[in-house]
Amino acid sequence: MKWSNTALVGGAFAVFLGGMAGVAMAQSAADLGKTLTPNGAEKAGNKDGTIPEWTGGITAPPAGYKAGGVYVDPYASDKPLFTITGQNMAQYADKLPEGLKALLKQYPDYKMNVYPTHRSASLPKSVYDETLANATRAKLVDDGNGVEGAKVGVPFPIPKTGVEVVWNHILRWKGKQLERTYGAANPQADGSYTMININEKSKFLYSDTGPEGQTSLYFQQEVTAPARLAGEILLVHETMDQVKEPRNAWTYNPGQRRVRRAPNVAYDNPGTASDGLRTSDQLDVFNGSPDRYEWKLVGKKEMYVPYNAYQLQSDKLTYDQLIKAKHINQDYARYELHRVWVVEGKLKSGTSHIYPRRTFYVDEDSWGILVADQYDSRDQLWRVTEAHGINFYDVQTFWAGLFAVYDLQSGRYTASGFTNQEKPYNFNVNLTAADFSPDSLRRSGVR
């Protein structure tokens, strides 16, 4: 098992392979855009040639794409290299996250079709420029619970600690604003489900010109169907340091027709319309304050992870084709070999969370968490999260369209981000701060 471990040496990083000291390769801000990509990943491919060199990712939409239309799969002609199953997983075990091993063991029909690796992640030049500036100006504050001096790009393209990688995930570029409508489902053990429709609006202040004071993000989420859930609205003002200034949240309840403060929309409180199968901080795999965990940077490793999942976004597929008992239809999921940062979070003494331990596998090219393992109080693997990402090439951002959280103990799962029968994401929507006020929440609720 080959790991790439990082150690801080004289203000630069030394890279070691297999846990043994090799030839030290200094990494500093000067290497961004040279030996490192402008976002901090290793530019070179691997020795085996199974991970190619990064050459810029997707910088223009592929042929056939129309603005505002369905995202065309640029790799539609690819064929699987091989398929990992519960029967042959042993030969690939050193490149599999623990959670994916568990899914392969538990479900005989769960499989991983592994395709050629494409390092498709790309960002606008303006984001790369700010990332370069962040490399020497961003700093952690309040014992790692907040970030200062950063804007637009990832704050720590050359991370020294686990919490810096977590902040890179939280603050990574996802465009400036977004409106999306998608489906979510919580299938029963037999595969039956009721589709839940959700509309979300986001204004990424940090990714535009930088945070406004402490506020980094405005977020509104409304359930529009089924009728028993329709009309519930959540409003969040996210902050850069939630210990210094906690997240501000409000909810609108259609039955009471009232807007109320919602201080519990955080951490391990149940996530919206998830049937208790995920927590609030599992939206986008992880969000919110990192303050309840000690984050250890384990190292970097080559692993098979979900990537370039354009098939899962196809408008040729129905929800019934994708949503199956126990797990989504793995015929349409795509996995590739990529280098990921491995970060382990252990609950701090004196704090609480239903997950005392969680492990993140973070894409080196986009800083998005691709897979997460969540453990219970007995330190047994409990839930596994997969983020099936694509490059939304009209705005150049790589992040997940479909998220799935598998509960190994109940044998159920929750999945969200189904857009096959919905309009594609709209990154060009015109949103203002006034659209995210408690008064606007009240007006939305009585329409």
Side-chain angles (χ1 to χ4, degrees), residues 358-373:
R358 55 212 304 180
T359 303
F360 296 153
Y361 303 88
V362 187
D363 178 26
E364 70 165 343
D365 286 327
S366 68
W367 295 104
I369 302 172
L370 302 175
V371 178
D373 303 331

Side-chain angles (χ1 to χ4, degrees), residues 41-47 51-54 119 300-303 305 337-341 362-365 370:
E42 295 175 47
K43 190 173 183 180
N46 64 357
K47 292 182 179 179
I51 297 176
E53 178 186 6
W54 184 84
R119 297 180 68 180
K300 188 185 285 187
K301 192 183 179 190
E302 297 177 6
M303 306 198 86
V305 287
L337 184 66
H338 285 263
R339 286 185 293 243
V340 296
W341 291 98
V362 187
D363 178 26
E364 70 165 343
D365 286 327
L370 302 175

Side-chain angles (χ1 to χ4, degrees), residues 398-411:
F398 186 97
W399 64 302
L402 180 65
F403 296 90
V405 180
Y406 296 103
D407 189 314
L408 299 172
Q409 296 174 15
S410 70

Side-chain angles (χ1 to χ4, degrees), residues 180-186 193-199 224-225 273 319 323 401-403 414-422 425:
R180 61 177 183 166
T181 299
Y182 62 86
N186 310 304
Y193 68 95
T194 298
M195 183 58 73
I196 302 165
N197 297 113
I198 296 173
N199 175 267
T224 59
Y319 296 143
I323 301 169
L402 180 65
F403 296 90
T414 180
S416 61
F418 295 101
T419 58
N420 314 78
Q421 299 167 38
E422 306 291 342
Y425 289 12

Side-chain angles (χ1 to χ4, degrees), residues 249-297:
W250 300 261
T251 57
Y252 176 82
N253 185 297
Q256 299 175 342
R257 300 175 69 86
R258 294 185 61 181
V259 175
R260 293 181 179 274
R261 282 274 189 174
N264 293 327
V265 178
Y267 301 112
D268 56 359
N269 283 278
T272 301
S274 67
D275 209 12
L277 293 167
R278 71 164 176 85
T279 58
S280 288
D281 66 6
Q282 282 181 277
L283 186 68
D284 194 26
V285 187
F286 182 79
N287 73 87
S289 176
D291 69 304
R292 293 192 180 183
Y293 291 88
E294 295 286 353
W295 300 100
K296 177 183 177 182
L297 184 57

